[in-house]
Amino acid sequence: MAFKDKIADVAKRLEMVRSRTDLGEEATKTSIVLPFLSALGYDVFNPNEVHPEFIADVGVKKGEKVDYAVFLEDKVEIIVEAKPFTTSLQDAQYSQLYRYFGVTEARIALLTNGAEFWFFTDIDAPNKMDERPFFKFTLGAYDDGDLRELEKFAKTQFSIDQVRSTAASLKYTRLATQYLSEQMADPEDEFVRLVGKSFYDGNLTAKVVERLKPNVKRAFDDLIRSRVRSRLEVALGNDEPEVEETESESEASGDGIVTTEEELQAFYIIRAIAAEIVDPSRIAIRDQKSYCSVLFDDNRLKPIARLFFDGRTKYVEVFGNEKSKERINIDQIYDVYKFKDKIISIVGSYCNDN
């Protein structure tokens, strides 16, 4: 069976247990974590390869156990800590995993609740687990790129040097993205000077830099808008996005509802994100007086997000499973990209309902 199919089988298991609110840690391990490790090619029935309740004394703490230690050639390569399915990894305490990382040979630590798998290493300081994961894999919402990264942890392909090289690359990409996001929102003088040198012939004085700042911000907006629209054109086969028809219909109806340019931009971004896992034509916009809805299959019972852009504070409500909503304030339209994972997750859940 191909690696992609093995992971898909584990994802099906996840769907079977999503409705269970009583799924504790042991049940999470049995129903999801062990099948996941097996899909990576490890023999979960061989304690010399996947050692459950692995003990490694830490200082004065004796007899503590990490849930699993994965061995390759008699060497611990990965340690795994599992949390109950209902646990949010964002809020989870994993000090035990942190301690074990420092006293074992393992250079990869895996934290999971059965739905999400967070991979850590020690890029920031040797033998000290980084505070942030370098790779996150969401079992219910992944794409081919995620699968390619995940396969690097498979038994037949595992190379600690390759994994650490990938971890460093992902870390620097994340930092670069963070820096560029900050410059998009409020470009620093030095950044404006750097960009300005490419098109401004005069002396870049403080007054000139201040005058050019709005142009740099607008250039970011135009670039993102252009790339999103290009991506949609490719995904749709150069068909006109149906949102433009919606806008015309709203204006013609005389109901006072007008889909603004900002709402369109946010819709384009959400549609482009969803295009990673579904035909983008299934993502629709439906404007109303108080907010603008982005829907799956143009079905009001399958909401993805609501855009509240008419007030002084712009914010987006992103829907989750069981129709829960999370409000996220945004400063710029491209902040929508920051909750890409949430959009992928809810769209993926609607796909699985079909």
Side-chain angles (χ1 to χ4, degrees):
M1 184 183 294
F3 179 72
K4 182 176 183 178
D5 296 328
K6 292 178 181 178
I7 297 301
D9 280 351
V10 182
K12 290 178 182 177
R13 287 175 169 269
L14 176 65
E15 293 308 313
M16 288 190 294
V17 302
R18 274 193 184 281
S19 60
R20 298 289 299 271
T21 58
D22 60 340
L23 203 66
E25 183 176 315
E26 290 304 318
T28 300
K29 292 180 194 177
T30 303
S31 59
I32 304 294
V33 179
L34 284 177
F36 181 82
L37 293 176
S38 179
L40 290 175
Y42 300 104
D43 185 353
V44 297
F45 300 107
N46 181 0
N48 293 321
E49 194 161 309
V50 178
H51 193 310
E53 300 295 307
F54 182 68
I55 298 176
D57 294 336
V58 183
V60 296
K61 293 181 177 292
K62 305 295 182 180
E64 283 196 310
K65 302 174 182 179
V66 70
D67 291 319
Y68 299 104
V70 178
F71 285 76
L72 283 175
E73 298 180 357
D74 297 324
K75 178 183 177 182
V76 180
E77 294 287 3
I78 305 172
I79 53 176
V80 183
E81 182 171 345
K83 298 293 184 182
F85 179 73
T86 54
T87 301
S88 168
L89 295 190
Q90 193 69 43
D91 303 324
Q93 296 295 320
Y94 44 94
S95 56
Q96 190 174 4
L97 187 66
Y98 183 91
R99 291 196 300 271
Y100 271 114
F101 189 91
V103 298
T104 67
E105 295 179 291
R107 297 276 66 83
I108 302 297
L110 173 57
L111 177 69
T112 181
N113 60 3
E116 296 179 87
F117 296 80
W118 289 10
F119 293 83
F120 298 80
T121 188
D122 56 349
I123 296 298
D124 294 335
N127 300 318
K128 183 178 179 182
M129 193 178 92
D130 297 337
E131 293 183 1
R132 300 181 63 177
F134 67 88
F135 175 55
K136 295 181 181 181
F137 184 83
T138 303
L139 195 55
Y142 58 84
D143 56 26
D144 288 343
D146 295 327
L147 282 174
R148 285 192 294 270
E149 293 299 329
L150 180 65
E151 196 167 11
K152 294 177 182 178
F153 299 94
K155 179 181 177 180
T156 56
Q157 295 194 24
F158 188 87
S159 164
I160 189 60
D161 291 336
Q162 181 187 30
V163 170
R164 286 176 55 80
S165 175
T166 298
S169 176
L170 292 173
K171 172 191 173 183
Y172 297 139
T173 299
R174 184 182 71 240
L175 293 174
T177 300
Q178 179 181 336
Y179 172 74
L180 289 175
S181 295
E182 292 169 354
Q183 300 310 310
M184 284 173 158
D186 185 18
E188 298 172 353
D189 290 355
E190 287 304 312
F191 184 83
V192 175
R193 285 193 176 91
L194 177 65
V195 176
K197 289 178 181 178
S198 65
F199 63 84
Y200 190 81
D201 295 329
N203 187 19
L204 288 167
T205 64
K207 288 185 178 180
V208 172
V209 167
E210 195 63 30
R211 193 169 70 244
L212 290 179
K213 277 187 179 182
N215 302 98
V216 173
K217 291 180 67 173
R218 191 175 307 140
F220 269 126
D221 289 338
D222 290 346
L223 177 62
I224 291 174
R225 188 183 306 118
S226 175
R227 295 194 67 176
V228 169
R229 285 178 173 168
S230 295
R231 184 171 177 177
L232 282 173
E233 287 174 2
V234 172
L236 295 173
N238 293 321
D239 289 338
E240 287 294 320
E242 64 185 68
V243 63
E244 302 208 353
E245 296 178 8
T246 305
E247 181 183 21
S248 300
E249 291 170 1
S250 296
E251 292 176 347
S253 66
D255 59 8
I257 299 175
V258 177
T259 307
T260 66
E261 178 66 21
E262 286 188 328
E263 289 170 337
L264 288 174
Q265 289 181 39
F267 168 70
Y268 287 138
I269 292 172
I270 293 173
R271 203 179 204 189
I273 291 171
E276 294 186 6
I277 61 171
V278 72
D279 184 339
S281 65
R282 301 183 72 179
I283 311 302
I285 187 171
R286 190 184 297 184
D287 209 350
Q288 302 180 48
K289 287 187 176 181
S290 56
Y291 58 83
C292 186
S293 294
V294 181
L295 307 172
F296 188 80
D297 286 343
D298 201 17
N299 185 340
R300 65 181 181 81
L301 299 179
K302 294 184 177 182
I304 299 170
R306 288 177 179 170
L307 314 175
F308 294 82
F309 290 174
D310 295 334
R312 180 174 298 179
T313 300
K314 294 183 179 66
Y315 65 95
V316 177
E317 285 183 350
V318 183
F319 285 79
N321 295 325
E322 309 301 328
K323 300 301 185 295
S324 61
K325 292 182 291 186
E326 179 178 354
R327 170 174 168 160
I328 305 172
N329 292 334
I330 65 172
D331 297 318
Q332 304 289 333
I333 299 303
Y334 44 73
D335 286 345
V336 173
Y337 278 113
K338 294 180 180 178
F339 39 90
K340 171 183 175 181
D341 290 346
K342 298 181 186 298
I343 293 171
I344 290 289
S345 178
I346 186 63
V347 171
S349 71
Y350 291 144
C351 291
N352 292 328
D353 288 341
N354 294 342

